Amino acid sequence: MFVRLKELRETHKYSQKYVSSLLNCSLRAYCNYEAGLREMPVSLLIKLADIYDETIDYIVGRD
């Protein structure tokens, strides 16, 4: 669902571990979000939008 998670993370040169720590979630959970195996809660999606200075629509591939 979140097609741009990996793209945004790599563009910013962040590791999965670093992003998971910013979101205060486990590395395993974040890896599952990025792989599309688990849906990310809206609260974490909002945090990601702030971290990457992007819209939620962009992150989920709606534009």
Side-chain angles (χ1 to χ4, degrees):
M1 177 178 171
F2 305 112
V3 297
R4 294 194 170 112
L5 289 181
K6 184 175 181 179
E7 171 191 326
L8 285 166
R9 180 180 57 77
E10 290 177 342
T11 298
H12 286 79
K13 298 183 180 178
Y14 294 159
S15 67
Q16 288 179 324
K17 184 176 182 177
Y18 179 69
V19 175
S20 70
S21 70
L22 292 175
L23 297 175
N24 199 27
C25 71
S26 71
L27 175 58
R28 173 179 235 140
Y30 180 77
C31 290
N32 285 334
Y33 300 142
E34 195 172 284
L37 301 175
R38 187 172 173 187
E39 289 210 19
M40 182 177 282
V42 173
S43 60
L44 294 184
L45 192 54
I46 291 168
K47 284 183 184 180
L48 272 181
D50 290 340
I51 290 166
Y52 293 131
D53 194 29
E54 291 289 352
T55 65
I56 293 171
D57 280 347
Y58 180 81
I59 293 171
V60 299
R62 289 195 61 201
D63 61 23

